Amino acid sequence: MARTIGSDGEKTEAAIREAAVSLIARYGYEAVSMRQLAAEVGVQAAALYRYFPTKEDLLFTLMREHMEGLIASWENARPDDGGAADELSAFVANHIGFHVTRRHSTHVSNMELRSLSHENLTYILKLRAGYEKDLRRILRDGAEDGSFRIGDAALTAMAIIQMITGVIVWFRPDERLSVEEVTRNYLTMTMRLVGASETVEGGRRKEYVHANAEFRAG
Amino acid sequence: MARTIGSDGEKTEAAIREAAVSLIARYGYEAVSMRQLAAEVGVQAAALYRYFPTKEDLLFTLMREHMEGLIASWENARPDDGGAADELSAFVANHIGFHVTRRHSTHVSNMELRSLSHENLTYILKLRAGYEKDLRRILRDGAEDGSFRIGDAALTAMAIIQMITGVIVWFRPDERLSVEEVTRNYLTMTMRLVGASETVEGGRRKEYVHANAEFRAG
DNA sequence: GAATAAATTGAACGTTCGTTTTATTATTTC
DNA sequence: GAAATAATAAAACGAACGTTCAATTTATTC
């Protein structure tokens, strides 16, 4: 046999990506063979090489698109005006929302960096550095105008990112907490962590969830 | 050739563990071959099987001893008296101290769970669950007696653990921050995160580092 | 409907994998 | 110093790896 009835390059490529993200997230890049991936797609191993020149190139594509998606999501969610607290709220809410809806590719992007070639690793780390730099800027802005009380902006940025990325390690949808509740909790913790000044309004403590800090997917 | 001059089982086993932790942390369990490990030790691959029946058993041994070491370290560091704030301080300081001095085995324990058999995985997760349960207890105690303001103890525990374990991702000794400075920063962030009530003493804001919350190694 | 392009198969390549077996040498015991 | 034991080397096992290549079939173009 050769070309199969109804076969379509675009559909096959999408199926490969989907199966690859799922398998690599579950078993790890090194543990997943091209034959195993092909079997999941319902195709022979040789067919994969029509779409990705090497196994590593496939991994790189998955990670690059994850990072580009994250950055695009943040650029879309970033508030045009408002103070540092608003920006930080939007950052945290977008980060959590993006990652909980992409558990598999997040796992891949966080765990498989060491399987990339030096060149591809550099590219991914550059994307990541730019994203993290934005968070540091928000923290410094807030520290300067008195919104936050922060010891070290770089250290605080890493602490926040690790805390909010870690959601996907334990959080499972369909459990006792919804995404919205989890996001609200993390927003509160983040705001306290940076020493954001709390204001009391009408006797009720004002927590840090504003309209534009709500979770927005996509 | 066969037995080499000066060869000693205990020394060889220790050398295997050390090389394995280092290699697996750097390249990942699946990517490290028994031959590569043997070469690092300066021995033939077959010799490894005198000390560990399988490759996976070697991994399991490394992870089990890491977790047992962490739990032992915490039991030693745990304050006998004092409130929830003291306990939490000790927990964070011990956790950070333990992990920054064991970067490699921490990486292995955090990244290679999926390479364990079901049985071995269950064992490791049981150790981990017990450790995390202790943190949840501290948080609940503090919430009950008014020391902390916490939304959800389980969620907060995971957030704290991910935040303080994440230190090893970015922290490198010999850089601008010392272990003590980093620990102090994380203690402050943790205490704010749980809404610990701050007290003002002599006009100076009291941060949350007490005598028994100092970093202690070993 | 013939010519061309796209999609996939099946077999094969050389390499490396974890592991086992057997033989050999160094060390310890008595 | 012989016997027993511990530690390793060397070679080999079958299986699996990523990848390539030629052949073949379906879909599209004109």
Side-chain angles (χ1 to χ4, degrees):
Chain A
M1 273 206 290
R3 178 166 191 171
T4 53
I5 34 177
S7 61
D8 176 349
E10 279 192 33
K11 283 183 186 172
T12 303
E13 177 165 353
I16 292 172
R17 287 169 196 251
E18 204 174 322
V21 167
S22 170
L23 286 176
I24 295 174
R26 203 172 349 227
Y27 303 110
Y29 171 77
E30 295 278 358
V32 174
S33 73
M34 294 300 267
R35 285 171 180 84
Q36 184 184 359
L37 171 57
E40 184 84 7
V41 177
V43 99
Q44 291 296 316
L48 304 176
Y49 288 84
R50 241 195 100 76
Y51 305 95
F52 301 96
T54 65
K55 189 187 179 188
E56 194 227 312
D57 192 85
L58 168 57
L59 174 65
F60 175 63
T61 300
L62 299 178
M63 297 179 71
R64 178 172 46 77
E65 292 184 352
H66 175 89
M67 279 309 300
E68 288 172 351
L70 174 60
I71 290 166
S73 172
W74 164 230
E75 279 174 0
N76 186 54
R78 165 194 285 152
D80 295 329
D81 48 4
D86 284 333
E87 280 194 283
L88 182 55
S89 291
F91 186 93
V92 169
N94 179 72
H95 189 95
I96 293 178
F98 185 88
H99 285 86
V100 296
T101 58
R102 289 168 187 82
R103 301 173 43 81
H104 285 168
S105 67
T106 299
H107 255 116
V108 172
S109 283
N110 287 341
M111 308 270 282
E112 306 297 348
L113 283 170
R114 60 188 165 198
S115 294
L116 293 176
S117 68
H118 178 73
E119 190 187 356
N120 287 341
L121 176 63
T122 302
Y123 186 90
I124 298 293
L125 290 183
K126 230 167 234 165
L127 292 183
R128 183 183 277 212
Y131 181 68
E132 292 172 353
K133 189 175 178 182
D134 233 26
L135 176 57
R136 285 199 298 276
R137 190 214 14 102
I138 294 172
L139 295 178
R140 288 209 185 87
D141 287 353
E144 278 180 21
D145 69 14
S147 304
F148 306 149
R149 288 184 297 124
I150 285 172
D152 182 278
L155 184 152
T156 306
M158 295 311 294
I160 290 174
I161 283 196
Q162 265 126 20
M163 179 178 79
I164 63 184
T165 303
V167 172
I168 66 151
V169 174
W170 62 269
F171 178 69
R172 298 287 178 283
D174 314 326
E175 278 192 5
R176 66 189 171 85
L177 295 171
S178 69
V179 178
E180 289 76 15
E181 288 170 316
V182 169
T183 303
R184 209 160 22 235
N185 259 291
Y186 273 87
L187 275 169
T188 301
M189 292 190 293
T190 303
M191 288 303 173
R192 286 184 181 158
L193 190 153
V194 298
S197 48
E198 305 186 30
T199 59
V200 177
E201 292 182 353
R204 261 183 82 251
R205 181 177 300 279
K206 183 193 177 192
E207 295 293 356
Y208 312 91
V209 186
H210 336 81
N212 63 350
E214 295 281 327
F215 162 63
R216 17 186 198 290
Chain B
M1 274 204 289
R3 179 165 189 169
T4 53
I5 336 176
S7 62
D8 175 348
E10 279 192 33
K11 283 182 186 172
T12 305
E13 177 164 354
I16 292 173
R17 287 169 195 251
E18 204 174 323
V21 168
S22 169
L23 286 176
I24 295 174
R26 206 178 339 235
Y27 304 110
Y29 171 77
E30 294 279 356
V32 174
S33 73
M34 295 301 267
R35 287 170 179 83
Q36 183 184 358
L37 172 58
E40 184 83 6
V41 177
V43 99
Q44 289 296 316
L48 304 177
Y49 288 84
R50 242 197 101 73
Y51 305 95
F52 301 95
T54 65
K55 187 186 179 189
E56 194 226 313
D57 192 86
L58 168 57
L59 174 65
F60 174 63
T61 300
L62 300 177
M63 296 180 72
R64 178 172 46 77
E65 291 184 352
H66 175 88
M67 278 308 300
E68 288 172 351
L70 174 61
I71 290 165
S73 172
W74 164 230
E75 278 174 2
N76 186 53
R78 164 195 286 152
D80 295 329
D81 48 3
D86 284 332
E87 282 194 282
L88 183 55
S89 290
F91 186 93
V92 170
N94 180 73
H95 189 96
I96 292 178
F98 185 88
H99 285 85
V100 296
T101 58
R102 289 167 186 82
R103 300 173 44 80
H104 284 169
S105 66
T106 300
H107 255 117
V108 173
S109 284
N110 286 342
M111 307 271 283
E112 307 297 348
L113 284 170
R114 61 187 166 199
S115 293
L116 293 177
S117 68
H118 177 74
E119 189 186 355
N120 288 340
L121 175 63
T122 301
Y123 186 89
I124 298 292
L125 290 183
K126 231 167 234 168
L127 293 182
R128 182 183 279 211
Y131 181 69
E132 293 172 353
K133 189 177 178 180
D134 234 27
L135 175 57
R136 284 199 298 276
R137 190 211 19 100
I138 294 172
L139 295 179
R140 287 210 186 86
D141 287 353
E144 279 179 21
D145 71 13
S147 303
F148 306 149
R149 288 184 298 123
I150 286 173
D152 182 278
L155 184 152
T156 306
M158 295 311 294
I160 291 174
I161 285 197
Q162 263 126 21
M163 180 179 78
I164 63 185
T165 303
V167 172
I168 67 153
V169 174
W170 62 269
F171 178 68
R172 297 287 178 283
D174 314 326
E175 279 192 3
R176 67 188 170 84
L177 294 171
S178 70
V179 178
E180 289 76 15
E181 288 171 315
V182 169
T183 302
R184 210 161 19 237
N185 259 290
Y186 273 86
L187 275 169
T188 301
M189 292 190 294
T190 303
M191 287 303 173
R192 286 184 181 160
L193 188 153
V194 298
S197 48
E198 304 186 30
T199 59
V200 177
E201 292 181 353
R204 262 184 82 250
R205 181 177 299 278
K206 184 192 175 195
E207 294 292 355
Y208 312 90
V209 186
H210 334 83
N212 64 351
E214 293 282 326
F215 162 63
R216 14 188 199 291

